[in-house]
């Protein structure tokens, strides 16, 4: 059954690949369904890119690249900024699609997801005209560097922030003069295609941004193809390892945005209400399906019980409901399989001795009986060796641990293979900076959590990733430097 709300926002019943500036019927005949996680309804079917489609996307991207790289940065920037304006104008339509396809609450998608993508296009639209090399003097001789694009880049997305991820990858790539083939996650295929339409409407030449649909096999094709210069993945650690290994065959440039098991440290002098709000934000926003979430909450022993009391009363007030209801604060997890996996973690937490403070159950939502809604879940008395403390859950499950000393909590915080982010709550700012410096994480927040403006680099230490997205740092990852040395005199032969 096709959802009427989805149809109003989508207008197509079969989503095609977007190649060469338009939707193209697949040369193959494999299809899959885009589902509404809250209801289990089919939103539309999606044409999986066949090998012939992928070859066509590559040829189109290569042709687009030759045109695009010759345009000035200012021209490229204007198109990106126009696309940013179009994204903002269509916020309601795009946010609705994002909610239908991910299960996240509409209040989040309306306020953050599309605007964050638009901010990214605007930022890199502004940067495009200032990407430049350097000049060097060697007596009468000189040299200069050119900062050149890499070529055709592949973007491979996760399902939790579909349009934001497509923007975070495409905007810097395009600003630097590259073309991109983007593959959204198979569970959230809709809005990347909408982004492609918007780029075309903003004046992007055909072929510069293509969207191919499909599962891991499409991602594997992109990662293996010799015609692709770079791959940027957002996904799980295990996928990151496979992508890195496959990219090694053709020595592609690689950016990886992977998982995390980030710490939030609450010192006894912290503003406790603020710390509770930060931990709520860092665990239950988007049903906990956020890579940077601070799922290991270390609270100094003297304020632990007070923290847990305030946390439980706050968490219980979170409204679970139909994601399209503007009052809903927590929506549906992406799929029944994922919901069941999160419930298994909760059972494991109980059986390994963690104390359930609140939540822990699947919640039923009227009209969304097929959806997997899970109550905001808080465990106390957690130990560092518990499964829920060690493994990424990607759901609304917070583990609270107690600590006594600063050095101890730094060492325990760093005792993980991941290093995406970390939070410190304290009124002692000298300590805040000292602890942030000692934490092994790509982003540290002091007295807040999960704030990611496009001006700032975002990415992981250790096994949370390689490279950085956003900010001027992303330019490094979508360009290569050519050195040109110029002799102004006659060359003397040494022989
Ligand atoms: P996933 O790794 O299962 O899939 C991510 C993408 O990779 C999908 O498009 C998938 O089709 C593709 N893929 C899978 N196997 C592949 C292969 N062998 N070669 C090429 N492509 C392949 O991840 P997911 O379940 O979609 O997303 C959740 C994960 O993403 C979590 O671990 C989360 O922490 C992480 N994530 C990280 C960030 C970040 O910025 N660091 C942001 C969001 C999500």
């Amino acid at each position: 059954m096709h959802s009427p709300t989805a149809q109003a926002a989508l207008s197509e019943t079969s989503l095609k690949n977007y190649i060469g500036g338009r939707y193209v019927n697949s040369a193959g005949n494999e299809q899959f369904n885009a589902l509404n996680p809250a209801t289990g309804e089919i939103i539309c079917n999606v044409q999986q890119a066949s090998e012939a489609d992928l070859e066509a996307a590559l040829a189109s991207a290569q042709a687009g690249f030759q045109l695009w790289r010759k345009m000035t940065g200012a021209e490229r920037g204007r198109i990106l900024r126009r696309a940013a304006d179009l994204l903002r104008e269509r916020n309601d339509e795009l946010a609705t699609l994002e909610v239908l396809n991910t299960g996240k609450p509409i209040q989040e998608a309306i306020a953050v997801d599309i605007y964050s993508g638009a901010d990214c296009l605007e930022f890199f639209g502004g940067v495009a005209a200032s990407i430049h090399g350097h000049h060097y003097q060697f007596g009468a001789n000189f040299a200069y560097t050119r900062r050149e694009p890499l070529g055709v880049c592949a973007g491979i997305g996760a399902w939790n922030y579909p349009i934001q991820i497509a923007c975070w990858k495409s905007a810097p790539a395009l600003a630097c003069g590259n073309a991109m083939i983007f593959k959204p996650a198979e569970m959230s295929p809709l809005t990347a295609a909408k982004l492609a339409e918007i780029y075309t409407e903003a004046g992007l030449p055909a072929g510069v941004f293509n969207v191919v649909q499909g599962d891991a096999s499409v991602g594997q094709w992109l990662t293996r193809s010799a015609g692709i210069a770079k791959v940027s993945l957002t996904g799980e650690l295990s996928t990151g390892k496979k992508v890195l290994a496959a990219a090694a065959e053709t020595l592609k440039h690689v950016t990886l945005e992977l998982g995390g098991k980030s710490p939030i440290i609450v010192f006894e002098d912290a503003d406790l209400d603020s710390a509770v709000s930060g931990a709520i934000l860092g665990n239950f926003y988007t049903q906990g399906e956020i890579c940077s979430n601070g799922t290991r909450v270390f609270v100094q022993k003297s304020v632990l019980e007070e923290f847990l009391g305030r946390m439980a009363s706050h968490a219980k007030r979170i409204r679970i409901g139909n994601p399209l209801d503007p009052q809903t604060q927590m929506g549906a997890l992406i799929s029944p399989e994922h919901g069941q996996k999160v419930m298994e973690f909760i059972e494991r937490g109980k059986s390994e001795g963690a104390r359930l403070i609140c939540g822990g159950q699947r919640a039923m939502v009227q009209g969304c009986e097929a959806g997997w809604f899970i109550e905001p879940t808080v465990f106390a008395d957690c130990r560092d060796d518990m499964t829920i403390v060690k493994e990424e859950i990607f759901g609304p499950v917070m583990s609270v641990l107690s600590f006594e000393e600063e050095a101890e909590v730094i060492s325990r915080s760093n005792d993980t293979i991941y290093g995406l982010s970390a939070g410190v709550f304290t009124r002692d700012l000298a300590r805040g900076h000292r602890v942030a410096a000692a934490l092994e994480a790509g982003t540290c927040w002091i007295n807040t959590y999960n704030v990611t403006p496009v001006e700032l680099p975002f990415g992981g230490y250790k096994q949370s990733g390689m490279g950085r997205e956003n900010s001027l740092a992303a330019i490094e990852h979508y360009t290569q430097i050519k050195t040109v040395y110029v002799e102004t005199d006659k060359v003397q032969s040494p022989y």
Side-chain angles (χ1 to χ4, degrees), residues 63-92:
F65 171 58
Q66 291 310 329
L67 197 72
W68 184 240
R69 70 179 308 186
K70 293 188 190 104
M71 288 171 64
T72 67
E75 286 167 331
R76 291 200 292 263
R78 264 198 299 278
I79 291 171
L80 283 170
R81 292 197 303 278
R82 221 176 283 143
D85 291 342
L86 290 172
L87 277 173
R88 290 204 181 93
E89 280 168 24
R90 300 204 191 144
N91 188 36
D92 285 3

Side-chain angles (χ1 to χ4, degrees), residues 16-320:
K16 301 169 187 168
N17 296 291
Y18 197 94
I19 298 172
R22 63 196 179 88
Y23 286 109
V24 178
N25 259 317
S26 174
N29 49 18
E30 249 187 272
Q31 302 212 336
F32 60 96
N33 289 327
L35 299 175
N36 177 343
T39 61
E41 288 173 312
I42 296 171
I43 301 170
C44 64
N45 47 50
V46 184
Q47 300 187 4
Q48 159 115 357
S50 66
E51 195 144 343
D53 300 329
L54 291 166
E55 294 287 2
L58 181 58
S60 146
Q62 282 167 334
F65 171 58
Q66 291 310 329
L67 197 72
W68 184 240
R69 70 179 308 186
K70 293 188 190 104
M71 288 171 64
T72 67
E75 286 167 331
R76 291 200 292 263
R78 264 198 299 278
I79 291 171
L80 283 170
R81 292 197 303 278
R82 221 176 283 143
D85 291 342
L86 290 172
L87 277 173
R88 290 204 181 93
E89 280 168 24
R90 300 204 191 144
N91 188 36
D92 285 3
E93 169 206 340
L94 294 167
T96 304
L97 268 187
E98 205 71 315
V99 168
L100 287 168
N101 203 189
T102 60
K104 66 173 68 186
I106 187 82
Q107 59 168 249
E108 287 183 14
I110 289 266
V112 175
D113 293 41
I114 318 303
Y115 286 141
S116 149
D119 287 352
C120 183
L121 268 55
E122 194 169 63
F123 176 84
F124 286 105
V127 165
S130 333
I131 297 169
H132 59 79
H134 290 105
H135 176 94
Y136 304 81
Q137 202 71 42
F138 299 96
N141 299 329
F142 66 95
Y144 58 93
T145 53
R146 294 166 51 88
R147 197 168 267 282
E148 298 189 340
L150 300 172
V152 177
C153 302
I156 302 177
W159 45 257
N160 59 341
Y161 276 80
I163 198 163
Q164 188 197 73
I165 291 172
C167 290
W168 282 23
K169 297 198 187 303
S170 62
L174 269 43
C176 295
N178 302 284
M180 176 162 270
I181 303 176
F182 186 81
K183 187 200 92 63
E186 52 275 44
M187 280 190 276
S188 57
L190 305 186
T191 47
K194 287 282 166 194
L195 176 65
E197 287 178 29
I198 284 173
Y199 273 137
T200 300
E201 194 178 331
L204 192 75
V208 177
F209 183 72
N210 307 275
V211 176
V212 294
Q213 303 287 358
D215 56 17
S217 65
V218 174
Q220 283 163 349
W221 190 95
L222 293 169
T223 311
R224 278 197 308 262
S225 167
I228 287 175
K230 180 203 169 97
V231 60
S232 175
L233 166 84
T234 298
E236 284 183 7
L237 170 58
S238 59
T239 309
K241 288 179 183 173
K242 288 180 201 152
V243 163
L244 190 59
E249 287 300 312
T250 46
L251 221 68
K252 283 181 180 44
H253 296 248
V254 176
T255 295
L256 299 175
E257 291 291 350
L258 309 175
K261 194 71 200 175
S262 301
I264 293 179
I265 303 172
V266 181
F267 285 100
E268 60 192 357
D269 69 338
D271 174 332
L272 267 200
D273 283 332
S274 191
V276 166
S277 298
I280 291 259
L281 179 70
N283 278 270
F284 302 135
Y285 199 76
T286 317
Q287 309 81 239
E289 295 168 325
I290 298 189
C291 52
S292 50
N293 271 354
T295 46
R296 293 183 294 145
V297 181
F298 292 95
V299 183
Q300 204 155 16
K301 202 169 178 186
S302 52
V303 292
L304 179 63
E305 287 310 318
E306 176 66 23
F307 179 90
L308 288 171
R310 292 195 206 184
M311 174 57 73
S313 73
H314 201 131
K316 282 178 193 156
R317 289 201 303 270
I318 295 174
R319 286 188 299 274
I320 298 177

